[in-house]
Amino acid sequence: MGNNILEYAIGSFAGRGNTSTAPELTSLVKQSIESGRKVEFYRSMYNLDSSALDHFRLYKTTKGYKGTFQLQSLIFDIDKKLSSDAEVLDRARAFLEYLKSAWGVASYRFWYSGNGYHIETPDFFGFPTTVETPRIVHETIKYHFTAQSSIIDLS
């Protein structure tokens, strides 16, 4: 079973529990843009296997999902909190420099989310595609980035 199913939300995080393939989701986003409607889309970091379709049809949540999770990239979240725009940008830039020097990150995407910044990098840990991947990712990130917890959101 390939991992090509995405969970997504429309409108807000509360709209989770939808599944599609990447091309289908791209088509939904394109239709929204073409219609002129401003709609927020969110997608899970993980690709799910095809068993997710039946699971989400019944439960509308990943809770209890027994299939595999695949991570294609890492996304680090730098929240603004009480900082000024300049301060959060400085923290995000400093963290990006840390990723480059300490972890050899050479390619990345960097964007403003409305409440801070996101830095997306390739999965430089090489996480496996398993049922336990979300737990493994969480524990690994927490272990390796605890010293940066004042900069990034470890959750």
Side-chain angles (χ1 to χ4, degrees):
M1 278 190 258
N3 284 70
N4 61 359
I5 304 299
L6 306 172
E7 178 191 13
Y8 67 94
I10 299 177
S12 74
F13 291 119
R16 289 184 302 235
N18 302 292
T19 56
S20 74
T21 63
E24 290 167 344
L25 184 56
T26 299
S27 178
L28 285 172
V29 171
K30 185 178 178 185
Q31 288 172 18
S32 176
I33 291 168
E34 288 172 352
S35 75
R37 294 181 302 138
K38 292 189 177 190
V39 178
E40 295 178 28
F41 283 87
Y42 303 89
R43 73 155 274 208
S44 170
M45 292 176 46
Y46 298 101
N47 289 2
L48 310 172
D49 68 41
S50 60
S51 70
L53 295 173
D54 289 334
H55 180 86
F56 277 85
R57 208 172 290 121
L58 291 171
Y59 305 108
K60 298 284 187 194
T61 178
T62 55
K63 187 174 182 166
Y65 170 65
K66 304 286 189 228
T68 59
F69 296 83
Q70 178 187 45
L71 185 68
Q72 293 184 319
S73 61
L74 298 170
I75 300 175
F76 296 94
D77 185 16
I78 298 97
D79 290 327
K80 184 176 180 181
K81 299 179 185 171
L82 299 175
S83 303
S84 70
D85 290 339
E87 289 168 335
V88 70
L89 179 57
D90 287 344
R91 284 197 337 261
R93 286 178 174 155
F95 184 70
L96 178 58
E97 289 306 314
Y98 168 76
L99 289 173
K100 289 176 179 180
S101 64
W103 293 95
V105 169
S107 64
Y108 58 88
R109 289 186 351 173
F110 186 97
W111 71 91
Y112 184 68
S113 68
N115 294 318
Y117 290 88
H118 293 296
I119 301 171
E120 182 178 2
T121 71
D123 171 14
F124 51 84
F125 288 106
F127 289 109
T129 299
T130 70
V131 174
E132 294 293 319
T133 301
R135 182 189 58 76
I136 295 167
V137 170
H138 180 75
E139 289 176 6
T140 303
I141 296 300
K142 190 175 175 182
Y143 177 81
H144 287 288
F145 294 96
T146 297
Q148 290 75 35
S149 64
S150 65
I151 299 173
I152 62 170
D153 180 354
L154 293 176
S155 62

PDB file of all heavy atoms in Angstrom, residues 45-47 69-75 123 127-129 133 137:
ATOM      1  N   MET A  45       0.961  16.837   8.049  1.00  0.00           N
ATOM      2  CA  MET A  45       2.354  16.655   7.644  1.00  0.00           C
ATOM      3  C   MET A  45       2.574  15.265   7.054  1.00  0.00           C
ATOM      4  O   MET A  45       3.543  15.039   6.348  1.00  0.00           O
ATOM      5  CB  MET A  45       3.281  16.800   8.852  1.00  0.00           C
ATOM      6  CG  MET A  45       3.357  18.178   9.413  1.00  0.00           C
ATOM      7  SD  MET A  45       4.371  18.266  10.915  1.00  0.00           S
ATOM      8  CE  MET A  45       5.819  17.350  10.498  1.00  0.00           C
ATOM      9  N   TYR A  46       1.692  14.329   7.380  1.00  0.00           N
ATOM     10  CA  TYR A  46       1.896  12.929   7.025  1.00  0.00           C
ATOM     11  C   TYR A  46       1.060  12.504   5.830  1.00  0.00           C
ATOM     12  O   TYR A  46      -0.085  12.906   5.689  1.00  0.00           O
ATOM     13  CB  TYR A  46       1.530  12.023   8.204  1.00  0.00           C
ATOM     14  CG  TYR A  46       2.387  12.273   9.413  1.00  0.00           C
ATOM     15  CD1 TYR A  46       1.911  13.035  10.469  1.00  0.00           C
ATOM     16  CD2 TYR A  46       3.684  11.774   9.485  1.00  0.00           C
ATOM     17  CE1 TYR A  46       2.702  13.287  11.579  1.00  0.00           C
ATOM     18  CE2 TYR A  46       4.480  12.022  10.589  1.00  0.00           C
ATOM     19  CZ  TYR A  46       3.988  12.777  11.633  1.00  0.00           C
ATOM     20  OH  TYR A  46       4.775  13.021  12.719  1.00  0.00           O
ATOM     21  N   ASN A  47       1.652  11.648   5.008  1.00  0.00           N
ATOM     22  CA  ASN A  47       0.900  10.933   3.990  1.00  0.00           C
ATOM     23  C   ASN A  47       0.460   9.626   4.640  1.00  0.00           C
ATOM     24  O   ASN A  47       1.227   9.002   5.381  1.00  0.00           O
ATOM     25  CB  ASN A  47       1.766  10.638   2.770  1.00  0.00           C
ATOM     26  CG  ASN A  47       2.089  11.872   1.973  1.00  0.00           C
ATOM     27  OD1 ASN A  47       1.706  12.980   2.333  1.00  0.00           O
ATOM     28  ND2 ASN A  47       2.816  11.705   0.892  1.00  0.00           N
ATOM     29  N   PHE A  69       2.168   5.967   8.457  1.00  0.00           N
ATOM     30  CA  PHE A  69       2.366   7.399   8.271  1.00  0.00           C
ATOM     31  C   PHE A  69       3.712   7.600   7.581  1.00  0.00           C
ATOM     32  O   PHE A  69       4.705   7.001   7.983  1.00  0.00           O
ATOM     33  CB  PHE A  69       2.410   8.122   9.617  1.00  0.00           C
ATOM     34  CG  PHE A  69       1.137   8.072  10.410  1.00  0.00           C
ATOM     35  CD1 PHE A  69       0.842   6.978  11.207  1.00  0.00           C
ATOM     36  CD2 PHE A  69       0.252   9.138  10.379  1.00  0.00           C
ATOM     37  CE1 PHE A  69      -0.325   6.937  11.955  1.00  0.00           C
ATOM     38  CE2 PHE A  69      -0.917   9.103  11.131  1.00  0.00           C
ATOM     39  CZ  PHE A  69      -1.211   8.000  11.920  1.00  0.00           C
ATOM     40  N   GLN A  70       3.743   8.458   6.589  1.00  0.00           N
ATOM     41  CA  GLN A  70       4.978   8.778   5.886  1.00  0.00           C
ATOM     42  C   GLN A  70       5.212  10.281   5.989  1.00  0.00           C
ATOM     43  O   GLN A  70       4.300  11.078   5.752  1.00  0.00           O
ATOM     44  CB  GLN A  70       4.871   8.381   4.416  1.00  0.00           C
ATOM     45  CG  GLN A  70       6.091   8.731   3.595  1.00  0.00           C
ATOM     46  CD  GLN A  70       5.855   8.469   2.120  1.00  0.00           C
ATOM     47  OE1 GLN A  70       4.808   8.829   1.586  1.00  0.00           O
ATOM     48  NE2 GLN A  70       6.816   7.852   1.476  1.00  0.00           N
ATOM     49  N   LEU A  71       6.421  10.655   6.341  1.00  0.00           N
ATOM     50  CA  LEU A  71       6.779  12.065   6.457  1.00  0.00           C
ATOM     51  C   LEU A  71       7.688  12.432   5.293  1.00  0.00           C
ATOM     52  O   LEU A  71       8.718  11.795   5.086  1.00  0.00           O
ATOM     53  CB  LEU A  71       7.507  12.298   7.789  1.00  0.00           C
ATOM     54  CG  LEU A  71       7.849  13.732   8.132  1.00  0.00           C
ATOM     55  CD1 LEU A  71       6.577  14.531   8.402  1.00  0.00           C
ATOM     56  CD2 LEU A  71       8.747  13.770   9.353  1.00  0.00           C
ATOM     57  N   GLN A  72       7.313  13.448   4.527  1.00  0.00           N
ATOM     58  CA  GLN A  72       8.131  13.849   3.393  1.00  0.00           C
ATOM     59  C   GLN A  72       9.062  15.006   3.726  1.00  0.00           C
ATOM     60  O   GLN A  72      10.101  15.155   3.108  1.00  0.00           O
ATOM     61  CB  GLN A  72       7.246  14.219   2.209  1.00  0.00           C
ATOM     62  CG  GLN A  72       6.510  13.016   1.664  1.00  0.00           C
ATOM     63  CD  GLN A  72       5.718  13.361   0.428  1.00  0.00           C
ATOM     64  OE1 GLN A  72       5.088  14.401   0.347  1.00  0.00           O
ATOM     65  NE2 GLN A  72       5.750  12.475  -0.547  1.00  0.00           N
ATOM     66  N   SER A  73       8.666  15.831   4.672  1.00  0.00           N
ATOM     67  CA  SER A  73       9.510  16.970   5.042  1.00  0.00           C
ATOM     68  C   SER A  73       9.254  17.319   6.498  1.00  0.00           C
ATOM     69  O   SER A  73       8.276  16.876   7.096  1.00  0.00           O
ATOM     70  CB  SER A  73       9.220  18.176   4.140  1.00  0.00           C
ATOM     71  OG  SER A  73       7.873  18.572   4.273  1.00  0.00           O
ATOM     72  N   LEU A  74      10.157  18.092   7.057  1.00  0.00           N
ATOM     73  CA  LEU A  74      10.000  18.590   8.420  1.00  0.00           C
ATOM     74  C   LEU A  74       9.543  20.037   8.354  1.00  0.00           C
ATOM     75  O   LEU A  74      10.034  20.804   7.509  1.00  0.00           O
ATOM     76  CB  LEU A  74      11.339  18.522   9.166  1.00  0.00           C
ATOM     77  CG  LEU A  74      11.931  17.138   9.346  1.00  0.00           C
ATOM     78  CD1 LEU A  74      13.364  17.235   9.865  1.00  0.00           C
ATOM     79  CD2 LEU A  74      11.073  16.323  10.287  1.00  0.00           C
ATOM     80  N   ILE A  75       8.628  20.411   9.229  1.00  0.00           N
ATOM     81  CA  ILE A  75       8.174  21.794   9.279  1.00  0.00           C
ATOM     82  C   ILE A  75       8.347  22.288  10.705  1.00  0.00           C
ATOM     83  O   ILE A  75       7.756  21.738  11.636  1.00  0.00           O
ATOM     84  CB  ILE A  75       6.707  21.939   8.828  1.00  0.00           C
ATOM     85  CG1 ILE A  75       6.562  21.443   7.383  1.00  0.00           C
ATOM     86  CG2 ILE A  75       6.260  23.403   8.950  1.00  0.00           C
ATOM     87  CD1 ILE A  75       5.146  21.418   6.873  1.00  0.00           C
ATOM     88  N   ASP A 123      13.376  15.813   5.094  1.00  0.00           N
ATOM     89  CA  ASP A 123      13.458  14.961   6.281  1.00  0.00           C
ATOM     90  C   ASP A 123      14.902  14.481   6.433  1.00  0.00           C
ATOM     91  O   ASP A 123      15.272  13.421   5.956  1.00  0.00           O
ATOM     92  CB  ASP A 123      12.489  13.781   6.139  1.00  0.00           C
ATOM     93  CG  ASP A 123      12.667  12.732   7.226  1.00  0.00           C
ATOM     94  OD1 ASP A 123      13.337  13.015   8.240  1.00  0.00           O
ATOM     95  OD2 ASP A 123      12.139  11.622   7.042  1.00  0.00           O
ATOM     96  N   PHE A 127      13.095   9.496   8.555  1.00  0.00           N
ATOM     97  CA  PHE A 127      12.109   8.768   9.348  1.00  0.00           C
ATOM     98  C   PHE A 127      11.483   7.631   8.536  1.00  0.00           C
ATOM     99  O   PHE A 127      11.199   7.794   7.360  1.00  0.00           O
ATOM    100  CB  PHE A 127      11.012   9.703   9.852  1.00  0.00           C
ATOM    101  CG  PHE A 127      11.482  10.646  10.916  1.00  0.00           C
ATOM    102  CD1 PHE A 127      11.622  11.996  10.649  1.00  0.00           C
ATOM    103  CD2 PHE A 127      11.795  10.179  12.189  1.00  0.00           C
ATOM    104  CE1 PHE A 127      12.056  12.870  11.636  1.00  0.00           C
ATOM    105  CE2 PHE A 127      12.234  11.044  13.183  1.00  0.00           C
ATOM    106  CZ  PHE A 127      12.368  12.393  12.901  1.00  0.00           C
ATOM    107  N   PRO A 128      11.221   6.491   9.200  1.00  0.00           N
ATOM    108  CA  PRO A 128      10.603   5.352   8.498  1.00  0.00           C
ATOM    109  C   PRO A 128       9.109   5.586   8.287  1.00  0.00           C
ATOM    110  O   PRO A 128       8.500   6.425   8.949  1.00  0.00           O
ATOM    111  CB  PRO A 128      10.817   4.198   9.490  1.00  0.00           C
ATOM    112  CG  PRO A 128      10.781   4.861  10.838  1.00  0.00           C
ATOM    113  CD  PRO A 128      11.464   6.205  10.619  1.00  0.00           C
ATOM    114  N   THR A 129       8.546   4.834   7.376  1.00  0.00           N
ATOM    115  CA  THR A 129       7.101   4.839   7.157  1.00  0.00           C
ATOM    116  C   THR A 129       6.526   3.679   7.959  1.00  0.00           C
ATOM    117  O   THR A 129       6.656   2.522   7.563  1.00  0.00           O
ATOM    118  CB  THR A 129       6.785   4.679   5.657  1.00  0.00           C
ATOM    119  OG1 THR A 129       7.359   5.778   4.958  1.00  0.00           O
ATOM    120  CG2 THR A 129       5.288   4.629   5.403  1.00  0.00           C
ATOM    121  N   THR A 133       5.343   6.298  13.263  1.00  0.00           N
ATOM    122  CA  THR A 133       6.090   7.470  12.782  1.00  0.00           C
ATOM    123  C   THR A 133       5.763   8.759  13.526  1.00  0.00           C
ATOM    124  O   THR A 133       6.688   9.467  13.930  1.00  0.00           O
ATOM    125  CB  THR A 133       5.920   7.631  11.264  1.00  0.00           C
ATOM    126  OG1 THR A 133       6.401   6.445  10.631  1.00  0.00           O
ATOM    127  CG2 THR A 133       6.692   8.826  10.735  1.00  0.00           C
ATOM    128  N   VAL A 137       8.749  10.764  15.338  1.00  0.00           N
ATOM    129  CA  VAL A 137       9.079  12.137  14.930  1.00  0.00           C
ATOM    130  C   VAL A 137       9.021  13.070  16.141  1.00  0.00           C
ATOM    131  O   VAL A 137       9.965  13.838  16.388  1.00  0.00           O
ATOM    132  CB  VAL A 137       8.126  12.635  13.820  1.00  0.00           C
ATOM    133  CG1 VAL A 137       8.296  14.137  13.574  1.00  0.00           C
ATOM    134  CG2 VAL A 137       8.345  11.848  12.535  1.00  0.00           C
TER     135      VAL A 137
END
